[in-house]
């Protein structure tokens, strides 16, 4: 196995781990967004002067952006790895 193919396998492995990590994180954020929406409506309904009502929404947006970056980088790593090992399995 040459260096290019071994780096291809490493790249595919890292890409798949990144894809799994990001998909689990993004699916967990669905429940967190639901809780934040419920809490936001409760804070607005209680008519209190809560100065940081948008703080939780900003944090969730930043986390969502970070998870999308991990998802896209995993996709790119898996794609580059598959390009690097192209033709490896045609020898069999």
């Amino acid at each position: 196995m040459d260096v290019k193919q071994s780096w291809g396998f490493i790249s595919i492995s890292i890409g798949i781990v990144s894809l799994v990590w990001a998909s689990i994180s993004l699916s967990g954020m669905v429940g967190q967004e639901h809780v934040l929406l419920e809490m936001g409506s409760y804070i607005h309904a209680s008519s209190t002067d809560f100065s940081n009502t948008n703080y939780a929404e900003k944090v969730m947006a930043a986390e969502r952006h970070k998870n999308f970056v991990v998802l896209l980088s995993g996709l790119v790593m898996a794609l580059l790895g598959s390009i690097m090992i192209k033709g490896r399995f045609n020898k069999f």
Side-chain angles (χ1 to χ4, degrees):
M1 184 183 295
D2 65 1
V3 174
K4 182 176 159 184
Q5 290 174 351
S6 60
W7 277 108
F9 284 120
I10 292 170
S11 177
I12 286 176
S13 301
I14 292 172
I16 289 174
V17 169
S18 295
L19 288 173
V20 169
W21 182 286
S23 62
I24 290 172
S25 296
L26 287 173
S27 66
M29 289 182 70
V30 172
Q32 291 175 356
E33 286 180 4
H34 179 69
V35 169
L36 285 175
L37 287 175
E38 292 294 322
M39 289 302 295
S41 64
Y42 175 74
I43 289 171
H44 291 298
S46 65
S47 69
T48 59
D49 188 22
F50 188 66
S51 60
N52 291 328
T53 56
N54 293 329
Y55 175 73
E57 293 153 0
K58 290 178 184 176
V59 169
M60 289 299 292
E63 289 294 320
R64 186 181 314 116
H65 176 72
K66 183 171 56 174
N67 286 329
F68 277 123
V69 168
V70 170
L71 182 76
L72 290 176
S73 64
L75 188 64
V76 168
M77 290 286 286
L79 182 65
L80 285 176
S82 65
I83 289 172
M84 290 172 104
I85 64 168
K86 183 179 177 184
R88 166 74 176 135
F89 298 108
N90 292 338
K91 294 178 184 177
F92 296 115

